[in-house]
Amino acid sequence: MENKKIPAFTFAIVAIILGIVLFKHFDFKNMSFEKPLLDALYFIIFAFSIYALIKNRKNQIEK
């Protein structure tokens, strides 16, 4: 079975955009988010994209 290559550029763009959105939605005075459920979904996708980038980088270094 072939090892599918992860599109690193796409995940990098997604991580950058979601990181900026999460930063803008966070209220530092009240230590809370504007839209908690939507921001939780953004964080999950952000974390997955960072994980995919790290996994892709590790695979490139091993080869």
Side-chain angles (χ1 to χ4, degrees):
M1 189 170 169
E2 281 187 36
N3 213 1
K4 294 184 179 180
K5 189 174 181 180
I6 299 173
F9 181 74
T10 305
F11 281 117
I13 296 297
V14 168
I16 290 169
I17 291 171
L18 289 179
I20 292 169
V21 168
L22 285 171
F23 184 76
K24 286 183 178 180
H25 282 198
F26 189 71
D27 182 16
F28 288 98
K29 286 185 180 180
N30 298 330
M31 300 299 278
S32 63
F33 286 102
E34 288 179 17
K35 301 174 183 176
L37 293 177
L38 183 62
D39 291 330
L41 178 65
Y42 286 165
F43 181 75
I44 292 169
I45 298 170
F46 175 75
F48 175 75
S49 64
I50 295 295
Y51 170 76
L53 287 171
I54 292 171
K55 186 176 177 182
N56 189 24
R57 178 65 82 177
K58 279 186 174 180
N59 287 342
Q60 286 180 352
I61 292 173
E62 288 176 358
K63 289 182 181 181

